[in-house]
Amino acid sequence: MTFTCQAFLFDLDGVLVDSTHSVARIWNKWALDHALDPEAVVAHAHGRRSIETIRQFAPGLDVELENRNVENMEISDKDGIIAIPGALEFLLRLPPARFSIVTSATRPLAQARLQYAGLPWPQNFVTAEDVVNGKPHPDPYLKGAALLSARPADCVVFEDTPAGIQAGNRAGMRVVAFTTTRPAEELKAADAIVPSFTGLKVEFAEGTFRLQVD
């Protein structure tokens, strides 16, 4: 399968950075502290803004305070935060003005995880603070495309969760899903499903990417 496009939009956690165990640890602790079902909370938290998970499961709490507490725990937890294999090599092949990271994490958390994983801060970035509605709403990816002056139809999104795939689909973009966080059967709404950057080949010529998915 081959995609041609003018811009790439990357989710962060599960696509560029492996933070799966950290996310599970933090949200498991938060759920237990508030007598909630840890499995349900952790499953919901992947790919979504923290504040939306808190609103979903504990609307009666001080949501802003809880969100700050969760963020601080996530920033402090660097155990096991590493780059997804092939992520750095793939990014270094791309013109900086032709891709953006679009994450549900806050800017401080995104900066911390990129640093822990040894990945550079990109020229274009959309974080939780930059949108009113997070994934699965299309707003984050539409914002990412606007930063690159690219039409949604000319963008390819890299995602790892159903919420992120839904956001890309709603934005009118094509989506390549990684099975780094969820099994393939949960990612069927994507246009292609791959293990990670393994099997991806990219070329850039005359302003157009050519992405081959094996």
PDB file of all heavy atoms in Angstrom, residues 33-70:
ATOM      1  N   ASP A  33      -6.938   5.472  44.119  1.00  0.00           N
ATOM      2  CA  ASP A  33      -7.043   6.538  45.119  1.00  0.00           C
ATOM      3  C   ASP A  33      -8.467   7.087  45.220  1.00  0.00           C
ATOM      4  O   ASP A  33      -8.852   7.621  46.274  1.00  0.00           O
ATOM      5  CB  ASP A  33      -6.093   7.689  44.779  1.00  0.00           C
ATOM      6  CG  ASP A  33      -4.638   7.348  45.058  1.00  0.00           C
ATOM      7  OD1 ASP A  33      -4.379   6.346  45.752  1.00  0.00           O
ATOM      8  OD2 ASP A  33      -3.757   8.085  44.553  1.00  0.00           O
ATOM      9  N   HIS A  34      -9.229   6.945  44.126  1.00  0.00           N
ATOM     10  CA  HIS A  34     -10.589   7.492  44.108  1.00  0.00           C
ATOM     11  C   HIS A  34     -11.656   6.401  44.014  1.00  0.00           C
ATOM     12  O   HIS A  34     -12.794   6.671  43.644  1.00  0.00           O
ATOM     13  CB  HIS A  34     -10.725   8.476  42.944  1.00  0.00           C
ATOM     14  CG  HIS A  34      -9.835   9.677  43.071  1.00  0.00           C
ATOM     15  ND1 HIS A  34     -10.060  10.682  43.976  1.00  0.00           N
ATOM     16  CD2 HIS A  34      -8.679  10.007  42.427  1.00  0.00           C
ATOM     17  CE1 HIS A  34      -9.105  11.598  43.875  1.00  0.00           C
ATOM     18  NE2 HIS A  34      -8.254  11.207  42.944  1.00  0.00           N
ATOM     19  N   ALA A  35     -11.263   5.165  44.368  1.00  0.00           N
ATOM     20  CA  ALA A  35     -12.196   4.029  44.403  1.00  0.00           C
ATOM     21  C   ALA A  35     -12.899   3.814  43.063  1.00  0.00           C
ATOM     22  O   ALA A  35     -14.101   3.556  43.001  1.00  0.00           O
ATOM     23  CB  ALA A  35     -13.226   4.229  45.519  1.00  0.00           C
ATOM     24  N   LEU A  36     -12.122   3.922  41.987  1.00  0.00           N
ATOM     25  CA  LEU A  36     -12.648   3.714  40.633  1.00  0.00           C
ATOM     26  C   LEU A  36     -12.066   2.433  40.046  1.00  0.00           C
ATOM     27  O   LEU A  36     -11.095   1.880  40.563  1.00  0.00           O
ATOM     28  CB  LEU A  36     -12.284   4.912  39.745  1.00  0.00           C
ATOM     29  CG  LEU A  36     -12.841   6.268  40.203  1.00  0.00           C
ATOM     30  CD1 LEU A  36     -12.208   7.396  39.406  1.00  0.00           C
ATOM     31  CD2 LEU A  36     -14.368   6.302  40.060  1.00  0.00           C
ATOM     32  N   ASP A  37     -12.647   1.983  38.962  1.00  0.00           N
ATOM     33  CA  ASP A  37     -12.188   0.760  38.291  1.00  0.00           C
ATOM     34  C   ASP A  37     -10.907   1.063  37.512  1.00  0.00           C
ATOM     35  O   ASP A  37     -10.966   1.755  36.482  1.00  0.00           O
ATOM     36  CB  ASP A  37     -13.282   0.262  37.345  1.00  0.00           C
ATOM     37  CG  ASP A  37     -12.873  -0.981  36.568  1.00  0.00           C
ATOM     38  OD1 ASP A  37     -11.754  -1.493  36.786  1.00  0.00           O
ATOM     39  OD2 ASP A  37     -13.677  -1.445  35.737  1.00  0.00           O
ATOM     40  N   PRO A  38      -9.756   0.576  37.954  1.00  0.00           N
ATOM     41  CA  PRO A  38      -8.495   0.906  37.275  1.00  0.00           C
ATOM     42  C   PRO A  38      -8.463   0.471  35.818  1.00  0.00           C
ATOM     43  O   PRO A  38      -7.959   1.205  34.958  1.00  0.00           O
ATOM     44  CB  PRO A  38      -7.440   0.160  38.096  1.00  0.00           C
ATOM     45  CG  PRO A  38      -8.073  -0.091  39.410  1.00  0.00           C
ATOM     46  CD  PRO A  38      -9.536  -0.273  39.137  1.00  0.00           C
ATOM     47  N   GLU A  39      -8.986  -0.702  35.530  1.00  0.00           N
ATOM     48  CA  GLU A  39      -8.929  -1.202  34.154  1.00  0.00           C
ATOM     49  C   GLU A  39      -9.698  -0.292  33.206  1.00  0.00           C
ATOM     50  O   GLU A  39      -9.232   0.030  32.111  1.00  0.00           O
ATOM     51  CB  GLU A  39      -9.505  -2.623  34.105  1.00  0.00           C
ATOM     52  CG  GLU A  39      -9.376  -3.273  32.732  1.00  0.00           C
ATOM     53  CD  GLU A  39      -9.826  -4.726  32.731  1.00  0.00           C
ATOM     54  OE1 GLU A  39      -9.995  -5.299  33.828  1.00  0.00           O
ATOM     55  OE2 GLU A  39     -10.006  -5.275  31.629  1.00  0.00           O
ATOM     56  N   ALA A  40     -10.877   0.150  33.626  1.00  0.00           N
ATOM     57  CA  ALA A  40     -11.685   1.023  32.780  1.00  0.00           C
ATOM     58  C   ALA A  40     -11.024   2.388  32.611  1.00  0.00           C
ATOM     59  O   ALA A  40     -11.018   2.959  31.512  1.00  0.00           O
ATOM     60  CB  ALA A  40     -13.080   1.186  33.381  1.00  0.00           C
ATOM     61  N   VAL A  41     -10.455   2.920  33.683  1.00  0.00           N
ATOM     62  CA  VAL A  41      -9.815   4.231  33.626  1.00  0.00           C
ATOM     63  C   VAL A  41      -8.585   4.200  32.725  1.00  0.00           C
ATOM     64  O   VAL A  41      -8.411   5.068  31.869  1.00  0.00           O
ATOM     65  CB  VAL A  41      -9.432   4.710  35.045  1.00  0.00           C
ATOM     66  CG1 VAL A  41      -8.572   5.974  34.968  1.00  0.00           C
ATOM     67  CG2 VAL A  41     -10.690   4.980  35.873  1.00  0.00           C
ATOM     68  N   VAL A  42      -7.738   3.191  32.896  1.00  0.00           N
ATOM     69  CA  VAL A  42      -6.522   3.092  32.082  1.00  0.00           C
ATOM     70  C   VAL A  42      -6.871   2.933  30.610  1.00  0.00           C
ATOM     71  O   VAL A  42      -6.263   3.574  29.741  1.00  0.00           O
ATOM     72  CB  VAL A  42      -5.647   1.922  32.565  1.00  0.00           C
ATOM     73  CG1 VAL A  42      -4.493   1.671  31.589  1.00  0.00           C
ATOM     74  CG2 VAL A  42      -5.098   2.200  33.961  1.00  0.00           C
ATOM     75  N   ALA A  43      -7.855   2.103  30.305  1.00  0.00           N
ATOM     76  CA  ALA A  43      -8.255   1.887  28.910  1.00  0.00           C
ATOM     77  C   ALA A  43      -8.748   3.182  28.278  1.00  0.00           C
ATOM     78  O   ALA A  43      -8.475   3.459  27.098  1.00  0.00           O
ATOM     79  CB  ALA A  43      -9.336   0.818  28.836  1.00  0.00           C
ATOM     80  N   HIS A  44      -9.468   3.987  29.041  1.00  0.00           N
ATOM     81  CA  HIS A  44     -10.006   5.238  28.512  1.00  0.00           C
ATOM     82  C   HIS A  44      -8.916   6.298  28.355  1.00  0.00           C
ATOM     83  O   HIS A  44      -8.969   7.121  27.438  1.00  0.00           O
ATOM     84  CB  HIS A  44     -11.103   5.758  29.446  1.00  0.00           C
ATOM     85  CG  HIS A  44     -11.845   6.953  28.926  1.00  0.00           C
ATOM     86  ND1 HIS A  44     -11.411   8.248  29.104  1.00  0.00           N
ATOM     87  CD2 HIS A  44     -13.007   7.038  28.210  1.00  0.00           C
ATOM     88  CE1 HIS A  44     -12.268   9.086  28.535  1.00  0.00           C
ATOM     89  NE2 HIS A  44     -13.233   8.385  27.989  1.00  0.00           N
ATOM     90  N   ALA A  45      -7.926   6.278  29.249  1.00  0.00           N
ATOM     91  CA  ALA A  45      -6.926   7.350  29.291  1.00  0.00           C
ATOM     92  C   ALA A  45      -6.006   7.368  28.076  1.00  0.00           C
ATOM     93  O   ALA A  45      -5.559   8.440  27.659  1.00  0.00           O
ATOM     94  CB  ALA A  45      -6.090   7.217  30.562  1.00  0.00           C
ATOM     95  N   HIS A  46      -5.715   6.205  27.506  1.00  0.00           N
ATOM     96  CA  HIS A  46      -4.797   6.153  26.361  1.00  0.00           C
ATOM     97  C   HIS A  46      -5.359   6.963  25.192  1.00  0.00           C
ATOM     98  O   HIS A  46      -6.464   6.727  24.718  1.00  0.00           O
ATOM     99  CB  HIS A  46      -4.580   4.713  25.911  1.00  0.00           C
ATOM    100  CG  HIS A  46      -3.628   3.951  26.777  1.00  0.00           C
ATOM    101  ND1 HIS A  46      -2.284   4.255  26.855  1.00  0.00           N
ATOM    102  CD2 HIS A  46      -3.822   2.909  27.615  1.00  0.00           C
ATOM    103  CE1 HIS A  46      -1.687   3.424  27.690  1.00  0.00           C
ATOM    104  NE2 HIS A  46      -2.591   2.600  28.171  1.00  0.00           N
ATOM    105  N   GLY A  47      -4.579   7.931  24.737  1.00  0.00           N
ATOM    106  CA  GLY A  47      -4.947   8.697  23.556  1.00  0.00           C
ATOM    107  C   GLY A  47      -5.865   9.870  23.813  1.00  0.00           C
ATOM    108  O   GLY A  47      -6.276  10.548  22.869  1.00  0.00           O
ATOM    109  N   ARG A  48      -6.198  10.146  25.061  1.00  0.00           N
ATOM    110  CA  ARG A  48      -7.095  11.254  25.386  1.00  0.00           C
ATOM    111  C   ARG A  48      -6.412  12.226  26.347  1.00  0.00           C
ATOM    112  O   ARG A  48      -5.499  11.858  27.081  1.00  0.00           O
ATOM    113  CB  ARG A  48      -8.391  10.747  26.018  1.00  0.00           C
ATOM    114  CG  ARG A  48      -9.192   9.789  25.149  1.00  0.00           C
ATOM    115  CD  ARG A  48     -10.394   9.263  25.926  1.00  0.00           C
ATOM    116  NE  ARG A  48     -11.048   8.165  25.254  1.00  0.00           N
ATOM    117  CZ  ARG A  48     -12.080   8.278  24.439  1.00  0.00           C
ATOM    118  NH1 ARG A  48     -12.583   9.472  24.211  1.00  0.00           N
ATOM    119  NH2 ARG A  48     -12.625   7.214  23.866  1.00  0.00           N
ATOM    120  N   ARG A  49      -6.921  13.454  26.378  1.00  0.00           N
ATOM    121  CA  ARG A  49      -6.424  14.424  27.340  1.00  0.00           C
ATOM    122  C   ARG A  49      -6.790  13.979  28.749  1.00  0.00           C
ATOM    123  O   ARG A  49      -7.895  13.485  28.995  1.00  0.00           O
ATOM    124  CB  ARG A  49      -6.992  15.815  27.059  1.00  0.00           C
ATOM    125  CG  ARG A  49      -6.602  16.380  25.707  1.00  0.00           C
ATOM    126  CD  ARG A  49      -6.947  17.845  25.584  1.00  0.00           C
ATOM    127  NE  ARG A  49      -8.367  18.095  25.799  1.00  0.00           N
ATOM    128  CZ  ARG A  49      -8.908  19.310  25.832  1.00  0.00           C
ATOM    129  NH1 ARG A  49      -8.141  20.374  25.673  1.00  0.00           N
ATOM    130  NH2 ARG A  49     -10.201  19.459  26.030  1.00  0.00           N
ATOM    131  N   SER A  50      -5.886  14.208  29.691  1.00  0.00           N
ATOM    132  CA  SER A  50      -6.116  13.793  31.072  1.00  0.00           C
ATOM    133  C   SER A  50      -7.392  14.396  31.638  1.00  0.00           C
ATOM    134  O   SER A  50      -8.162  13.727  32.332  1.00  0.00           O
ATOM    135  CB  SER A  50      -4.924  14.200  31.951  1.00  0.00           C
ATOM    136  OG  SER A  50      -3.757  13.556  31.537  1.00  0.00           O
ATOM    137  N   ILE A  51      -7.617  15.646  31.338  1.00  0.00           N
ATOM    138  CA  ILE A  51      -8.771  16.327  31.917  1.00  0.00           C
ATOM    139  C   ILE A  51     -10.087  15.687  31.472  1.00  0.00           C
ATOM    140  O   ILE A  51     -11.061  15.658  32.222  1.00  0.00           O
ATOM    141  CB  ILE A  51      -8.740  17.845  31.589  1.00  0.00           C
ATOM    142  CG1 ILE A  51      -9.677  18.603  32.530  1.00  0.00           C
ATOM    143  CG2 ILE A  51      -9.060  18.095  30.117  1.00  0.00           C
ATOM    144  CD1 ILE A  51      -9.450  20.106  32.510  1.00  0.00           C
ATOM    145  N   GLU A  52     -10.103  15.125  30.263  1.00  0.00           N
ATOM    146  CA  GLU A  52     -11.324  14.489  29.771  1.00  0.00           C
ATOM    147  C   GLU A  52     -11.561  13.142  30.440  1.00  0.00           C
ATOM    148  O   GLU A  52     -12.705  12.745  30.687  1.00  0.00           O
ATOM    149  CB  GLU A  52     -11.262  14.380  28.245  1.00  0.00           C
ATOM    150  CG  GLU A  52     -11.450  15.740  27.585  1.00  0.00           C
ATOM    151  CD  GLU A  52     -10.917  15.819  26.166  1.00  0.00           C
ATOM    152  OE1 GLU A  52     -10.225  14.887  25.733  1.00  0.00           O
ATOM    153  OE2 GLU A  52     -11.184  16.843  25.519  1.00  0.00           O
ATOM    154  N   THR A  53     -10.487  12.438  30.759  1.00  0.00           N
ATOM    155  CA  THR A  53     -10.633  11.189  31.507  1.00  0.00           C
ATOM    156  C   THR A  53     -11.151  11.471  32.912  1.00  0.00           C
ATOM    157  O   THR A  53     -12.029  10.759  33.424  1.00  0.00           O
ATOM    158  CB  THR A  53      -9.288  10.450  31.576  1.00  0.00           C
ATOM    159  OG1 THR A  53      -8.874  10.106  30.252  1.00  0.00           O
ATOM    160  CG2 THR A  53      -9.399   9.176  32.410  1.00  0.00           C
ATOM    161  N   ILE A  54     -10.643  12.506  33.542  1.00  0.00           N
ATOM    162  CA  ILE A  54     -11.098  12.866  34.895  1.00  0.00           C
ATOM    163  C   ILE A  54     -12.561  13.285  34.863  1.00  0.00           C
ATOM    164  O   ILE A  54     -13.355  12.890  35.729  1.00  0.00           O
ATOM    165  CB  ILE A  54     -10.205  13.985  35.466  1.00  0.00           C
ATOM    166  CG1 ILE A  54      -8.773  13.457  35.654  1.00  0.00           C
ATOM    167  CG2 ILE A  54     -10.761  14.496  36.796  1.00  0.00           C
ATOM    168  CD1 ILE A  54      -7.748  14.546  35.901  1.00  0.00           C
ATOM    169  N   ARG A  55     -12.947  14.080  33.880  1.00  0.00           N
ATOM    170  CA  ARG A  55     -14.355  14.489  33.759  1.00  0.00           C
ATOM    171  C   ARG A  55     -15.273  13.286  33.550  1.00  0.00           C
ATOM    172  O   ARG A  55     -16.391  13.247  34.051  1.00  0.00           O
ATOM    173  CB  ARG A  55     -14.511  15.461  32.591  1.00  0.00           C
ATOM    174  CG  ARG A  55     -14.003  16.862  32.864  1.00  0.00           C
ATOM    175  CD  ARG A  55     -14.054  17.696  31.605  1.00  0.00           C
ATOM    176  NE  ARG A  55     -13.576  19.057  31.839  1.00  0.00           N
ATOM    177  CZ  ARG A  55     -13.085  19.840  30.895  1.00  0.00           C
ATOM    178  NH1 ARG A  55     -12.996  19.395  29.640  1.00  0.00           N
ATOM    179  NH2 ARG A  55     -12.679  21.059  31.182  1.00  0.00           N
ATOM    180  N   GLN A  56     -14.770  12.305  32.814  1.00  0.00           N
ATOM    181  CA  GLN A  56     -15.574  11.119  32.518  1.00  0.00           C
ATOM    182  C   GLN A  56     -15.814  10.284  33.769  1.00  0.00           C
ATOM    183  O   GLN A  56     -16.935   9.829  34.019  1.00  0.00           O
ATOM    184  CB  GLN A  56     -14.866  10.274  31.459  1.00  0.00           C
ATOM    185  CG  GLN A  56     -15.484   8.913  31.181  1.00  0.00           C
ATOM    186  CD  GLN A  56     -16.788   9.002  30.393  1.00  0.00           C
ATOM    187  OE1 GLN A  56     -17.039  10.007  29.729  1.00  0.00           O
ATOM    188  NE2 GLN A  56     -17.599   7.966  30.467  1.00  0.00           N
ATOM    189  N   PHE A  57     -14.785  10.089  34.579  1.00  0.00           N
ATOM    190  CA  PHE A  57     -14.880   9.140  35.688  1.00  0.00           C
ATOM    191  C   PHE A  57     -15.107   9.797  37.059  1.00  0.00           C
ATOM    192  O   PHE A  57     -15.570   9.127  37.982  1.00  0.00           O
ATOM    193  CB  PHE A  57     -13.625   8.271  35.749  1.00  0.00           C
ATOM    194  CG  PHE A  57     -13.543   7.279  34.645  1.00  0.00           C
ATOM    195  CD1 PHE A  57     -12.868   7.567  33.473  1.00  0.00           C
ATOM    196  CD2 PHE A  57     -14.163   6.029  34.754  1.00  0.00           C
ATOM    197  CE1 PHE A  57     -12.800   6.655  32.434  1.00  0.00           C
ATOM    198  CE2 PHE A  57     -14.105   5.110  33.719  1.00  0.00           C
ATOM    199  CZ  PHE A  57     -13.427   5.420  32.563  1.00  0.00           C
ATOM    200  N   ALA A  58     -14.763  11.069  37.191  1.00  0.00           N
ATOM    201  CA  ALA A  58     -14.913  11.716  38.506  1.00  0.00           C
ATOM    202  C   ALA A  58     -15.351  13.169  38.346  1.00  0.00           C
ATOM    203  O   ALA A  58     -14.652  14.097  38.777  1.00  0.00           O
ATOM    204  CB  ALA A  58     -13.598  11.635  39.274  1.00  0.00           C
ATOM    205  N   PRO A  59     -16.510  13.406  37.741  1.00  0.00           N
ATOM    206  CA  PRO A  59     -16.943  14.786  37.487  1.00  0.00           C
ATOM    207  C   PRO A  59     -17.203  15.593  38.751  1.00  0.00           C
ATOM    208  O   PRO A  59     -17.229  16.823  38.708  1.00  0.00           O
ATOM    209  CB  PRO A  59     -18.232  14.594  36.671  1.00  0.00           C
ATOM    210  CG  PRO A  59     -18.725  13.232  37.050  1.00  0.00           C
ATOM    211  CD  PRO A  59     -17.485  12.417  37.271  1.00  0.00           C
ATOM    212  N   GLY A  60     -17.403  14.901  39.872  1.00  0.00           N
ATOM    213  CA  GLY A  60     -17.678  15.610  41.118  1.00  0.00           C
ATOM    214  C   GLY A  60     -16.448  16.173  41.800  1.00  0.00           C
ATOM    215  O   GLY A  60     -16.561  16.952  42.755  1.00  0.00           O
ATOM    216  N   LEU A  61     -15.261  15.799  41.346  1.00  0.00           N
ATOM    217  CA  LEU A  61     -14.020  16.290  41.940  1.00  0.00           C
ATOM    218  C   LEU A  61     -13.642  17.651  41.359  1.00  0.00           C
ATOM    219  O   LEU A  61     -14.242  18.108  40.378  1.00  0.00           O
ATOM    220  CB  LEU A  61     -12.890  15.291  41.696  1.00  0.00           C
ATOM    221  CG  LEU A  61     -13.040  13.902  42.306  1.00  0.00           C
ATOM    222  CD1 LEU A  61     -11.852  13.038  41.924  1.00  0.00           C
ATOM    223  CD2 LEU A  61     -13.173  13.991  43.831  1.00  0.00           C
ATOM    224  N   ASP A  62     -12.661  18.292  41.957  1.00  0.00           N
ATOM    225  CA  ASP A  62     -12.090  19.511  41.392  1.00  0.00           C
ATOM    226  C   ASP A  62     -11.246  19.080  40.184  1.00  0.00           C
ATOM    227  O   ASP A  62     -10.093  18.651  40.337  1.00  0.00           O
ATOM    228  CB  ASP A  62     -11.230  20.218  42.442  1.00  0.00           C
ATOM    229  CG  ASP A  62     -10.664  21.552  41.945  1.00  0.00           C
ATOM    230  OD1 ASP A  62     -10.477  21.701  40.732  1.00  0.00           O
ATOM    231  OD2 ASP A  62     -10.389  22.417  42.792  1.00  0.00           O
ATOM    232  N   VAL A  63     -11.831  19.163  39.013  1.00  0.00           N
ATOM    233  CA  VAL A  63     -11.216  18.592  37.813  1.00  0.00           C
ATOM    234  C   VAL A  63      -9.871  19.246  37.500  1.00  0.00           C
ATOM    235  O   VAL A  63      -8.902  18.561  37.139  1.00  0.00           O
ATOM    236  CB  VAL A  63     -12.178  18.718  36.608  1.00  0.00           C
ATOM    237  CG1 VAL A  63     -11.500  18.242  35.327  1.00  0.00           C
ATOM    238  CG2 VAL A  63     -13.444  17.912  36.860  1.00  0.00           C
ATOM    239  N   GLU A  64      -9.782  20.557  37.629  1.00  0.00           N
ATOM    240  CA  GLU A  64      -8.530  21.253  37.330  1.00  0.00           C
ATOM    241  C   GLU A  64      -7.420  20.829  38.290  1.00  0.00           C
ATOM    242  O   GLU A  64      -6.275  20.612  37.884  1.00  0.00           O
ATOM    243  CB  GLU A  64      -8.741  22.766  37.397  1.00  0.00           C
ATOM    244  CG  GLU A  64      -9.693  23.314  36.342  1.00  0.00           C
ATOM    245  CD  GLU A  64      -9.147  23.219  34.933  1.00  0.00           C
ATOM    246  OE1 GLU A  64      -7.912  23.052  34.782  1.00  0.00           O
ATOM    247  OE2 GLU A  64      -9.941  23.310  33.987  1.00  0.00           O
ATOM    248  N   LEU A  65      -7.766  20.705  39.576  1.00  0.00           N
ATOM    249  CA  LEU A  65      -6.776  20.275  40.562  1.00  0.00           C
ATOM    250  C   LEU A  65      -6.320  18.854  40.291  1.00  0.00           C
ATOM    251  O   LEU A  65      -5.105  18.560  40.323  1.00  0.00           O
ATOM    252  CB  LEU A  65      -7.362  20.371  41.967  1.00  0.00           C
ATOM    253  CG  LEU A  65      -6.465  19.856  43.114  1.00  0.00           C
ATOM    254  CD1 LEU A  65      -5.174  20.649  43.179  1.00  0.00           C
ATOM    255  CD2 LEU A  65      -7.221  19.917  44.443  1.00  0.00           C
ATOM    256  N   GLU A  66      -7.264  17.956  40.029  1.00  0.00           N
ATOM    257  CA  GLU A  66      -6.909  16.566  39.737  1.00  0.00           C
ATOM    258  C   GLU A  66      -6.041  16.481  38.485  1.00  0.00           C
ATOM    259  O   GLU A  66      -5.089  15.696  38.422  1.00  0.00           O
ATOM    260  CB  GLU A  66      -8.171  15.724  39.563  1.00  0.00           C
ATOM    261  CG  GLU A  66      -8.986  15.527  40.819  1.00  0.00           C
ATOM    262  CD  GLU A  66      -8.221  14.793  41.904  1.00  0.00           C
ATOM    263  OE1 GLU A  66      -7.450  13.859  41.581  1.00  0.00           O
ATOM    264  OE2 GLU A  66      -8.370  15.165  43.079  1.00  0.00           O
ATOM    265  N   ASN A  67      -6.350  17.297  37.496  1.00  0.00           N
ATOM    266  CA  ASN A  67      -5.576  17.283  36.257  1.00  0.00           C
ATOM    267  C   ASN A  67      -4.132  17.708  36.509  1.00  0.00           C
ATOM    268  O   ASN A  67      -3.199  17.106  35.977  1.00  0.00           O
ATOM    269  CB  ASN A  67      -6.232  18.216  35.228  1.00  0.00           C
ATOM    270  CG  ASN A  67      -5.642  18.060  33.840  1.00  0.00           C
ATOM    271  OD1 ASN A  67      -5.493  16.950  33.338  1.00  0.00           O
ATOM    272  ND2 ASN A  67      -5.299  19.170  33.219  1.00  0.00           N
ATOM    273  N   ARG A  68      -3.935  18.722  37.351  1.00  0.00           N
ATOM    274  CA  ARG A  68      -2.570  19.156  37.687  1.00  0.00           C
ATOM    275  C   ARG A  68      -1.830  18.066  38.449  1.00  0.00           C
ATOM    276  O   ARG A  68      -0.638  17.827  38.213  1.00  0.00           O
ATOM    277  CB  ARG A  68      -2.614  20.452  38.502  1.00  0.00           C
ATOM    278  CG  ARG A  68      -3.018  21.675  37.698  1.00  0.00           C
ATOM    279  CD  ARG A  68      -2.701  22.952  38.455  1.00  0.00           C
ATOM    280  NE  ARG A  68      -3.473  23.066  39.687  1.00  0.00           N
ATOM    281  CZ  ARG A  68      -4.685  23.616  39.770  1.00  0.00           C
ATOM    282  NH1 ARG A  68      -5.273  24.085  38.680  1.00  0.00           N
ATOM    283  NH2 ARG A  68      -5.306  23.702  40.937  1.00  0.00           N
ATOM    284  N   ASN A  69      -2.535  17.397  39.353  1.00  0.00           N
ATOM    285  CA  ASN A  69      -1.898  16.331  40.132  1.00  0.00           C
ATOM    286  C   ASN A  69      -1.460  15.176  39.231  1.00  0.00           C
ATOM    287  O   ASN A  69      -0.346  14.646  39.368  1.00  0.00           O
ATOM    288  CB  ASN A  69      -2.858  15.815  41.205  1.00  0.00           C
ATOM    289  CG  ASN A  69      -3.097  16.817  42.308  1.00  0.00           C
ATOM    290  OD1 ASN A  69      -2.293  17.730  42.510  1.00  0.00           O
ATOM    291  ND2 ASN A  69      -4.197  16.670  43.032  1.00  0.00           N
ATOM    292  N   VAL A  70      -2.336  14.776  38.312  1.00  0.00           N
ATOM    293  CA  VAL A  70      -2.011  13.686  37.392  1.00  0.00           C
ATOM    294  C   VAL A  70      -0.836  14.085  36.493  1.00  0.00           C
ATOM    295  O   VAL A  70       0.091  13.303  36.272  1.00  0.00           O
ATOM    296  CB  VAL A  70      -3.241  13.302  36.542  1.00  0.00           C
ATOM    297  CG1 VAL A  70      -2.831  12.367  35.396  1.00  0.00           C
ATOM    298  CG2 VAL A  70      -4.290  12.621  37.408  1.00  0.00           C
TER     299      VAL A  70
END
